Amino acid sequence: MKVLSAAVLKPAFFWLLSLLLSSLVWFIAVKASNEKDAELQKSLIIFGVMFSVLLQEVFRFAYYKLLRKANEGLAALSEDGKSPLSVQQMAYVAGLGFGIMSGAFSVVNILAGSVGPGTVGIFRDSQYYFLTSAFMTMAIILLHTFWSVLFFDGFENKRWVAVVAVIATHLLVSGLTFLNPVYEGSLIPAFVIMVLMAAWAYFTAGGSLQNLQHFFMCKENK
Amino acid sequence: MISSDSEDELYTERTALMSANASTAPSYQDRDGAPSPTNVQANRRRSAARRPANPVEGRVGAEGGPASRDGGGEGEEEEEEELILKYGAKHVIMLFVPVTLCMAVVVVTIKSVSFYTEKDGQLIYTPFTEDTDSVGRRLLNSILNTLIMISVIVVMTIILVLLYKYRCYKFIHGWLILSSLLLLFLFTYIYLGEVFKTYNVAMDYPTLILIIWNFGAVGMVCIHWKGPLQLQQAYLIMISALMALVFIKYLPEWSAWVILGAISVYDLIAVLCPKGPLRMLVETAQERNEPIFPALIYSSTMVWLVSMAKRDVDTEEHLSKTCNADNYPEVEVEANNHAVQGLDDVSDMPQTQIQGVHHSAAGGEELEEEKGVKLGLGDFIFYSVLVGKAAAGASGDWNTTLACFIAILIGLCLTLLLLAVFKKALPALPISITFGLVFYFSTDNLVRPFMDTLASHQFYI
């Protein structure tokens, strides 16, 4: 358990690397372009977001490969040829690491700003900025966790549908945020997708409706 | 440019003492590394001796017991790899918490108490000002500052090594006591004063004197003599944080970054080169089988002692038989505060202490755990300086602070992995500081504008 909790740092580092590279690309693009042109800047940032999403998925794959190797090493050392960590545990931790880092980067500056004096939306921005940021961040963190579970499982069992779905929904959720501040267009679909992913990940990880029932009825699982 | 002469002298002495300690501290990584060959062998011998008695030991969690492996050449190798993995994982966790705590204290203080971000002059070790007109001049000044600082540290380290070599223990001991006195009393007083000012808390002198007296006295006892391990760890973390705050306040911007870079290079040279002062210090300590200055190392060995409760009589018997032969330089398993011990004490200790340590059911694993891991206080200080500077920096961006924090921890992880693989003295600064610096500059200049633009439009990636 302690090992798992410390292991959240490595995926966080990978996510950070992906962010670094995508910011580098965006920065170069911005510096190379005309900074006064607002439309161009807007399209550049959209490009930046999409590129960043794709890069995150690439790094998720890279982390998967790294974990596979490490796991094989551990399995080779163990007495019964099986590694102490299952793929699903690794996927969960990886997703958590990605999600926590992603969430932290999205929200910590906003949190710091929310302490200080000020009025939300005084320049005709939405009043619900903080609230929606909080909800969106929560959705993103959970989504990353579920995406990782599905992603890893997809590669493990060669189910490419899962992998494609993960990438597609990530792009979709990010893309929908372009609709902000029309929060209905971005938050609600994000939460719907999150619930869908949650269910899918739950069944992929081996859960079943029966387990769920037993859990809620506090029955023992036989 | 210097605030006041008397204060400055005190700081001079302080930093002189702590710099020396700071530079010697990174080598203490080797406390973990250098003796570990002996320990690992001893462990293997022990587990080999144990195996006939306890055929198959159940595994505990992810870290498999080496005992379950059956003999042969392969067994030895795989056992070693398992040890490596186990060392790696456990040591990583044992160090993450104190390093995180230290950095957290520093960051919280920097963000809330404005005293530590005000420019109030510079230390005597960095005489060149950075308030110049041209960029080139500023760069030159910071490089000169770095050269002076590093040479002071090198000289101090060499003096320390010479003192140690010629057995001037009383002098070193006195020096360390004076240094911790200053830290625990004077710096705490200043720190408390500033915190009270920030939060507008009214405090009278008698109460303050009482608080500081108690804090300082208990600290001195804990660090230099005996005390509960966790209290000692807490005090070491606090004095590292205080020292880091002093550095953050008094080192000018560019000089700080160049100094961080230079000191990791110095650390690398001093610990790995055959004639490096730190390496000589470690080797001398090893020859004499003495612990090095417990007041300057953070140790986590006792944690395992506290968590073990069950007794395993078989293992104990075997252990006591094989243990006596081994001479553990690291018998700081108990209080860690036996400042300088003669060989007699050390040989008396192994018996009782090791028996105490190995009360556990699963036998094999705990043998390694008793060793624990040690990190020098200088490492704590410089990690915290890096993160603190990132937090105090012009932009005050939390993303940068977070990125540096993660970078340092990952660097520490890698260093511990290398330590488990190489099993010798390793400098703790280079990898972490390099990662930290790279991430600081790239996050501050590349990621920050990107994230700011995203946040302003509320886009999410």
Side-chain angles (χ1 to χ4, degrees):
Chain A
M1 208 48 233
K2 269 195 204 169
V3 182
L4 284 176
S5 50
V8 169
L9 271 179
K10 293 198 194 88
F13 183 67
F14 270 72
W15 187 89
L16 202 58
L17 279 177
S18 84
L19 180 66
L20 210 70
L21 284 175
S22 45
S23 329
L24 179 66
V25 167
W26 175 81
F27 193 75
I28 294 175
V30 164
K31 287 297 173 196
S33 72
N34 179 12
E35 290 196 22
K36 300 285 194 316
D37 187 352
E39 276 303 310
L40 180 63
Q41 294 303 316
K42 188 93 193 270
S43 44
L44 271 183
I45 192 86
I46 291 180
F47 159 71
V49 168
M50 293 289 126
F51 184 72
S52 178
V53 168
L54 289 172
L55 210 58
Q56 279 177 49
E57 297 303 326
V58 167
F59 271 80
R60 209 197 294 270
F61 176 66
Y63 189 64
Y64 166 73
K65 276 282 174 220
L66 185 74
L67 275 187
R68 275 299 301 267
K69 255 189 153 172
N71 220 29
E72 272 159 25
L74 270 180
L77 289 177
S78 77
E79 29 174 32
D80 51 4
K82 275 192 269 183
S83 79
L85 290 172
S86 72
V87 178
Q88 282 138 358
Q89 276 180 311
M90 289 179 345
Y92 176 72
V93 173
L96 207 58
F98 263 56
I100 288 178
M101 205 56 195
S102 169
F105 261 67
S106 309
V107 92
V108 79
N109 273 327
I110 298 174
L111 271 179
S114 72
V115 170
T119 312
V120 188
I122 197 167
F123 290 116
R124 272 175 288 146
D125 297 311
S126 162
Q127 306 172 285
Y128 302 112
Y129 186 81
F130 287 145
L131 209 56
T132 49
S133 296
F135 275 112
M136 195 66 199
T137 311
M138 180 184 88
I140 293 274
I141 296 177
L142 289 171
L143 272 171
H144 267 292
T145 319
F146 303 140
W147 280 331
S148 280
V149 171
L150 289 170
F151 196 82
F152 279 40
D153 181 73
F155 271 104
E156 211 42 42
N157 302 326
K158 304 272 184 271
R159 286 167 50 196
W160 307 117
V161 182
V163 174
V164 171
V166 165
I167 302 179
T169 41
H170 195 169
L171 281 170
L172 184 66
V173 169
S174 271
L176 282 174
T177 58
F178 295 147
L179 293 175
N180 281 334
V182 181
Y183 295 123
E184 297 85 350
S186 65
L187 263 187
I188 299 183
F191 270 81
V192 167
I193 293 179
M194 184 184 84
V195 171
L196 281 173
M197 291 284 129
W200 194 353
Y202 177 72
F203 288 117
T204 313
S208 67
L209 280 174
Q210 244 193 352
N211 283 356
L212 209 55
Q213 215 180 19
H214 285 169
F215 172 72
F216 280 115
M217 306 290 240
C218 297
K219 277 195 212 148
E220 236 179 71
N221 205 1
K222 289 194 192 141
Chain B
M1 74 183 183
I2 299 167
S3 40
S4 79
D5 281 322
S6 56
E7 223 180 46
D8 178 61
E9 268 157 27
L10 280 166
Y11 285 138
T12 307
E13 211 176 50
R14 259 227 108 299
T15 28
L17 296 166
M18 280 325 266
S19 308
N21 302 340
S23 51
T24 42
S27 75
Y28 297 154
Q29 183 72 305
D30 74 50
R31 282 302 301 152
D32 189 22
S36 75
T38 21
N39 270 336
V40 171
Q41 283 163 19
N43 292 339
R44 262 191 252 141
R45 251 185 292 147
R46 236 175 290 126
S47 30
R50 244 192 56 250
R51 258 187 245 139
N54 305 324
V56 175
E57 234 45 81
R59 272 236 233 121
V60 180
E63 292 94 29
S68 1
R69 287 248 137 236
D70 226 343
E74 262 175 38
E76 280 288 304
E77 219 178 85
E78 278 155 8
E79 189 185 307
E80 193 174 326
E81 281 181 54
E82 276 200 66
L83 284 173
I84 290 171
L85 284 174
K86 280 173 42 179
Y87 264 127
K90 287 203 175 112
H91 292 179
V92 158
I93 300 161
M94 283 199 270
L95 280 185
F96 270 6
V97 175
V99 172
T100 311
L101 271 176
C102 192
M103 290 199 267
V105 168
V106 169
V107 168
V108 167
T109 311
I110 293 274
K111 289 283 184 185
S112 52
V113 180
S114 59
F115 171 71
Y116 288 103
T117 39
E118 289 161 12
K119 287 289 304 157
D120 270 346
Q122 299 180 195
L123 288 172
I124 199 174
Y125 301 117
T126 52
F128 294 95
T129 175
E130 283 198 9
D131 255 335
T132 54
D133 296 324
S134 72
V135 172
R137 179 95 203 146
R138 189 174 182 183
L139 192 62
L140 182 69
N141 279 356
S142 42
I143 293 180
L144 288 172
N145 280 338
T146 311
L147 284 173
I148 297 177
M149 188 82 166
I150 299 286
S151 30
V152 166
I153 291 179
V154 171
V155 163
M156 289 294 178
T157 316
I158 294 180
I159 293 179
L160 192 68
V161 172
L162 287 174
L163 284 175
Y164 191 69
K165 242 188 147 116
Y166 295 114
R167 299 182 186 259
C168 309
Y169 293 140
K170 291 230 186 302
F171 191 87
I172 297 178
H173 209 44
W175 189 2
L176 286 178
I177 287 185
L178 195 61
S179 153
S180 21
L181 262 175
L182 271 169
L183 262 175
L184 282 171
F185 288 98
L186 180 70
F187 279 26
T188 314
Y189 169 69
I190 295 173
Y191 179 79
L192 272 181
E194 293 306 323
V195 168
F196 289 146
K197 267 190 230 171
T198 308
Y199 291 107
N200 209 14
V201 172
M203 173 68 71
D204 54 307
Y205 273 113
T207 316
L208 187 66
I209 290 174
L210 196 68
I211 294 175
I212 291 185
W213 169 250
N214 279 311
F215 179 80
V218 175
M220 289 303 289
V221 165
C222 258
I223 296 174
H224 291 283
W225 194 48
K226 295 197 229 277
L229 179 73
Q230 284 178 321
L231 199 58
Q232 191 208 17
Q233 292 173 335
Y235 268 105
L236 288 175
I237 293 174
M238 279 189 270
I239 64 178
S240 309
L242 282 173
M243 196 63 218
L245 284 169
V246 167
F247 274 139
I248 294 171
K249 182 174 170 67
Y250 287 105
L251 285 179
E253 283 282 336
W254 290 20
S255 306
W257 298 114
V258 184
I259 286 177
L260 276 172
I263 205 159
S264 13
V265 171
Y266 167 70
D267 198 20
L268 196 66
I269 297 174
V271 175
L272 293 180
C273 284
K275 278 298 166 194
L278 301 181
R279 188 162 169 161
M280 281 174 27
L281 183 72
V282 164
E283 282 167 3
T284 321
Q286 251 188 295
E287 280 165 34
R288 299 182 194 170
N289 274 320
E290 284 163 359
I292 311 178
F293 316 132
L296 295 175
I297 327 171
Y298 177 92
S299 164
S300 53
T301 23
M302 272 270 287
V303 180
W304 303 104
L305 179 63
V306 170
S307 61
M308 286 189 256
K310 287 187 276 181
R311 216 170 237 273
D312 191 353
V313 185
D314 291 1
T315 25
E316 248 189 63
E317 278 173 11
H318 270 278
L319 286 177
S320 30
K321 280 184 206 144
T322 44
C323 275
N324 302 345
D326 301 333
N327 208 341
Y328 286 10
E330 281 201 316
V331 193
E332 289 108 58
V333 161
E334 210 181 48
N336 309 311
N337 294 325
H338 310 117
V340 181
Q341 292 231 332
L343 266 175
D344 313 308
D345 294 23
V346 172
S347 49
D348 279 346
M349 286 209 286
Q351 280 240 345
T352 34
Q353 287 195 352
I354 289 155
Q355 277 175 6
V357 165
H358 299 306
H359 294 177
S360 94
E365 289 95 289
E366 279 66 34
L367 297 176
E368 291 97 58
E369 284 157 23
E370 142 242 299
K371 223 174 75 57
V373 66
K374 289 175 169 48
L375 188 63
L377 284 195
D379 299 326
F380 278 87
I381 293 174
F382 284 109
Y383 291 161
S384 310
V385 167
L386 194 143
V387 175
K389 272 285 182 203
S395 53
D397 194 30
W398 279 93
N399 287 345
T400 318
T401 315
L402 254 183
C404 289
F405 169 74
I406 299 276
I408 288 180
L409 285 182
I410 293 284
L412 190 61
C413 217
L414 278 174
T415 313
L416 286 170
L417 194 67
L418 284 179
L419 186 70
V421 167
F422 287 113
K423 298 191 180 50
K424 58 190 274 264
L426 280 186
L429 284 181
I431 302 180
S432 289
I433 299 280
T434 314
F435 274 20
L437 287 174
V438 164
F439 271 80
Y440 171 73
F441 287 112
S442 46
T443 312
D444 205 34
N445 298 317
L446 298 174
V447 176
R448 193 169 47 94
F450 186 52
M451 293 306 288
D452 282 345
T453 322
L454 287 181
S456 62
H457 296 293
Q458 248 187 335
F459 293 164
Y460 280 83
I461 52 167

